[in-house]
Amino acid sequence: MAKKSKKQQSGGTPATVALTAAGTPYTLHAYEHDPASPSYGEEAADALGVSPDRVFKTLVADVDGELTVAVVPVAGSLDLKALAAAVGGKRASMADPVTAERTTGYVRGGISPLGQRKRLRTVVDASAEAHATICVSAGRRGLEVELSPADLASHTSAVLAPIGRR
């Protein structure tokens, strides 16, 4: 079940609140975020001692005018053409960071696929299925939530598709 710090016990982030309310098992991992780190995801993998293949970053893209969430391993990058194809679109580009923050309710580097202000269409890279659990942002920099890929897909109504590339 969830391992919670005092801050999480008093309310948590929208992501952890949603998981707790649903009774979904998860583990919370906190680490000291370094503002000078060039990559939020790689920083999380290093700090937690977890393979970068099991730590997934949350990216917000614009697919044919509709914001879409892509969840891909930090060890790779997002294939925008594959993302568009996964949702039946033609073109995808990265969303404006300010728009992504405003729409999700999270800050860049802390955007979680869970508990977003506005529920967005979500695609999780199919490589997640190779792991019993994966880590995604819990809604703030320095906080990751570990859960099964099936639970993540269920909570976000995600499509699983090969959208990442090494």
Side-chain angles (χ1 to χ4, degrees):
M1 201 54 169
K3 295 177 186 173
K4 298 181 179 185
S5 68
K6 287 180 185 173
K7 183 172 183 178
Q8 268 38 62
Q9 291 170 355
S10 66
T13 67
T16 60
V17 168
L19 290 171
T20 300
T24 302
Y26 67 94
T27 303
L28 206 53
H29 299 284
Y31 62 93
E32 193 63 39
H33 166 63
D34 177 3
S37 179
S39 168
Y40 298 113
E42 289 175 14
E43 176 190 29
D46 289 344
L48 301 177
V50 176
S51 166
D53 291 330
R54 280 191 50 228
V55 178
F56 282 63
K57 55 190 169 187
T58 306
L59 303 171
V60 180
D62 181 314
V63 180
D64 297 336
E66 184 178 344
L67 290 181
T68 303
V69 172
V71 183
V72 296
V74 301
S77 61
L78 172 62
D79 181 333
L80 289 166
K81 286 183 182 182
L83 175 64
V87 295
K90 294 183 181 191
R91 287 195 180 146
S93 61
M94 294 307 298
D96 172 65
V98 173
T99 302
E101 290 179 342
R102 189 175 339 112
T103 304
T104 64
Y106 294 117
V107 298
R108 203 168 61 111
I111 294 178
S112 177
L114 301 156
Q116 295 180 353
R117 181 178 293 150
K118 179 181 178 189
R119 190 171 187 150
L120 300 175
R121 187 169 52 172
T122 302
V123 181
V124 176
D125 185 64
S127 68
E129 293 180 298
H131 308 287
T133 61
I134 60 171
C135 295
V136 296
S137 176
R140 69 175 167 83
R141 296 172 186 155
L143 191 64
E144 294 283 309
V145 64
E146 181 178 353
L147 74 168
S148 76
D151 285 340
L152 175 62
S154 173
H155 276 280
T156 59
S157 301
V159 171
L160 279 101
I163 59 167
R165 61 177 164 206
R166 296 283 270 150

